[in-house]
Amino acid sequence: MDQGINILLCFKLGKSAKETYGMLKEVYKDEAITSKNVYEWFKRFREGQTSLEKPRGHKDSAHRILRL
């Protein structure tokens, strides 16, 4: 799973993109995706696009494997 699933979870829990980015930074440190990408994911989710496929034009480095 990538960070997108965590972003979707936060979105569904009513967290803001800013809060979500803060949590990703806390957990993933330098491996977290950029705040710009978090806002782009939130925009997609608000538009009803809940697919976790990589958005067009995103680099693979923005989608890290979730390791717990």
Side-chain angles (χ1 to χ4, degrees):
M1 289 186 229
D2 62 15
Q3 292 179 47
I5 191 77
N6 296 317
I7 297 169
L8 179 58
L9 174 67
C10 289
F11 176 81
K12 288 187 173 200
L13 288 173
K15 302 292 183 190
S16 70
K18 182 178 180 178
E19 289 175 299
T20 300
Y21 177 67
M23 288 187 280
L24 291 173
K25 283 296 286 182
E26 186 176 332
V27 171
Y28 294 101
K29 312 264 186 263
D30 292 338
E31 299 295 315
I33 65 173
T34 65
S35 63
K36 178 182 174 184
N37 284 338
V38 173
Y39 280 90
E40 288 173 0
W41 278 102
F42 265 70
K43 181 177 183 279
R44 290 179 64 227
F45 296 152
R46 279 193 303 274
E47 293 170 349
Q49 300 174 22
T50 56
S51 169
L52 295 177
E53 294 296 316
K54 290 183 216 175
R56 232 179 186 181
H58 282 236
K59 296 181 180 179
D60 285 340
S61 63
H63 300 274
R64 305 282 181 193
I65 301 296
L66 173 63
R67 293 186 177 98
L68 294 178

